[in-house]
Amino acid sequence: MSLKVLEHAERSDTGLVRPANEDSFLARPPVFVVADGMGGASAGEVASRLAVETFAAGLPPGGDPVERLSAAVSKANAAINAQAGDDPARQGMGTTVTAVMVDGGQLSVAHVGDSRAYSFRAGSLERLTRDHTLVDELVQQGRLTPEEAAVHPQRSIITRALGPEREVEVDSSVHALEAGDVILLCSDGLTGMIDEERIASILSQSRSLAAASRALVKAANDAGGRDNITVVLFRVGSGGAPLAATRPLARRSRAGGAAAPGGRRPGRRGLIALAAVIVAVLVLAGAWRASRGVFFLGTDSAGVVTVYQGVPYDLIGGLPLYSAWYRSGVPAESLTAAQRRVLLDHRLRSKQDASGLAASLERGELQR
Ligand code: CA
């Protein structure tokens, strides 16, 4: 079946912590690209822009779509590497790149680094790329579970990027498309802050691609906005019929609805008492669950900045409601006053937020 891009929506946001946005993207159907740059003194911005400009200039001719996409990635790598060699301030600059192209009924993907491509079909999200990161290699070796990798403090260390080397190994793949498929490209500022379940739920509930892109960026910022966030979304179809702007991206299952008409109603008091019991049980269960689902930062007995699971209180009798989950390598005495205020306030955080904060601290990325 011949499919084409019917609509697309993009959004790129600096987030709440980084001073600048080093992500770049291109949305020029049938080609879409996300690049996440790295390197000091705005070099990351230069690297990601160079990558995107290579695609904007057009794919190298010849070969099938996936070969042309991969060739463009190699070309971008050479351009960034050459510029890094020319300018000492830009040495070591690099960028990820995830580039896709719709051709007929197929999606070609070429990719280096930890930006991702996903396909969203019938309410379920499938990842089309594998991260080139240290933690992903540990997952491949069976030394970490995917769940552990998703929140690992070192999860953003990448093992492959455009720029640092003259040659780069490009991963490529081809996927069959179906009418209605939504494709998402994103930088790790999205996937590092919210999990795939949340991404799928936002895509399911959004009324349009534009609304979905706004909601995804907002969710990443609400979770801490630790990094630049870029999302590129597009939907494919067989053309002709334009999509109604109000159609949800996926139908939500509808709970069986209306109350039976007539009939005897249970006593009002009985209902209130039942509701009170249900609420009490929910509150207790919620409180217990909540104490396992939250994290905070503090120092351990040796004065090292530590991520704790639980809430920062003891029960009567001294039983703590928390346990050490990750010890950073950073002693609290090395922190500036500003860092102390952010890090040691015992604020309750999500697992991703707390571990991301510890990772930023270890990489020296926290504002001093
Ligand atoms: Ca990033």
Side-chain angles (χ1 to χ4, degrees), residues 291-316:
S291 81
R292 302 318 298 160
V294 293
F295 293 74
F296 65 94
L297 280 90
T299 52
D300 69 358
S301 55
V304 168
V305 177
T306 300
V307 179
Y308 290 94
Q309 181 174 26
V311 290
Y313 306 108
D314 293 337
L315 285 176
I316 299 164

Side-chain angles (χ1 to χ4, degrees), residues 83-287:
Q83 205 172 112
D86 290 346
D87 183 348
R90 289 173 181 169
Q91 251 171 25
M93 74 174 170
T95 183
T96 71
V97 72
T98 299
V100 304
M101 179 176 177
V102 176
D103 180 66
Q106 290 187 320
L107 182 78
S108 299
V109 182
H111 151 78
V112 173
D114 67 351
S115 301
R116 293 180 181 173
Y118 287 97
S119 148
F120 184 68
R121 177 183 297 168
S124 77
L125 192 68
E126 188 197 346
R127 200 195 300 179
L128 306 179
T129 49
R130 186 164 89 63
D131 293 348
H132 300 136
T133 57
L134 202 58
V135 295
D136 201 83
E137 282 180 13
L138 295 174
V139 171
Q140 301 302 320
Q141 293 165 15
R143 291 165 65 189
L144 275 182
T145 66
E147 292 73 30
E148 287 166 341
V151 294
H152 196 282
Q154 262 86 46
R155 64 181 180 269
S156 59
I157 295 178
I158 63 174
T159 49
R160 245 195 261 175
L162 303 195
E165 310 282 340
R166 268 164 183 267
E167 303 276 332
V168 70
E169 188 188 342
V170 184
D171 278 7
S172 63
S173 54
V174 178
H175 309 265
L177 287 168
E178 286 181 12
D181 282 356
V182 171
I183 304 298
L184 163 68
L185 308 186
C186 60
S187 61
D188 71 329
L190 179 74
T191 49
M193 299 312 296
I194 62 172
D195 60 22
E196 293 178 349
E197 206 180 319
R198 180 103 174 85
I199 293 172
S201 132
I202 289 171
L203 290 176
S204 297
Q205 289 168 24
S206 297
R207 310 296 291 182
S208 67
L209 291 183
S213 68
R214 283 193 299 273
L216 288 169
V217 168
K218 182 176 185 304
N221 275 328
D222 288 347
R226 194 85 52 223
D227 198 355
N228 306 143
I229 309 147
T230 298
V231 300
V232 168
L233 285 164
F234 62 90
R235 191 207 304 266
V236 297
S238 48
L243 283 151
T246 52
R247 201 186 95 171
L249 298 186
R251 264 173 236 284
R252 273 186 275 175
S253 62
R254 249 179 255 158
R264 243 181 85 88
R265 294 179 178 181
R268 196 179 161 84
R269 266 193 209 157
L271 271 185
I272 291 172
L274 181 63
V277 169
I278 291 172
V279 167
V281 168
L282 286 177
V283 166
L284 283 175

